[in-house]
Amino acid sequence: MDPLTLLAFEDRWGAQSAAKEEAIRAELHLTPARYYQLLSRIIDTREALEAHPVLVNRLRRMRDAKRR
């Protein structure tokens, strides 16, 4: 799965919802759990930060807040 595809999807959908989970399955052919695993890895890459800096920084802050 192309990392930029996942970032573009996340940028379009934003907050988690039942409709988003259905779209993850239909458009990306992933389970929501797998999608979020991949997204968490992707946001730590330089490529992701360069392509979508605002989105990546927001996702990193959200993830870090959940870990605390």
Side-chain angles (χ1 to χ4, degrees):
M1 174 72 47
D2 176 43
L4 298 181
T5 300
L6 290 181
L7 288 172
F9 180 89
E10 183 65 24
D11 199 28
R12 269 194 345 257
W13 278 92
Q16 186 175 2
S17 69
K20 180 180 178 182
E21 290 187 4
E22 290 177 24
I24 291 168
R25 287 184 174 97
E27 291 181 35
L28 304 174
H29 308 288
L30 297 170
T31 64
R34 183 67 179 146
Y35 168 78
Y36 289 110
Q37 286 173 344
L38 292 172
L39 188 62
S40 183
R41 288 185 195 146
I42 289 166
I43 63 174
D44 288 330
T45 66
R46 184 174 44 92
E47 177 186 24
L49 186 60
E50 290 173 356
H52 294 276
V54 174
L55 174 64
V56 168
N57 284 322
R58 179 176 58 85
L59 292 172
R60 286 177 178 178
R61 282 192 308 272
M62 290 170 54
R63 181 186 62 190
D64 293 345
K66 286 180 184 178
R67 287 182 177 172
R68 287 185 214 144

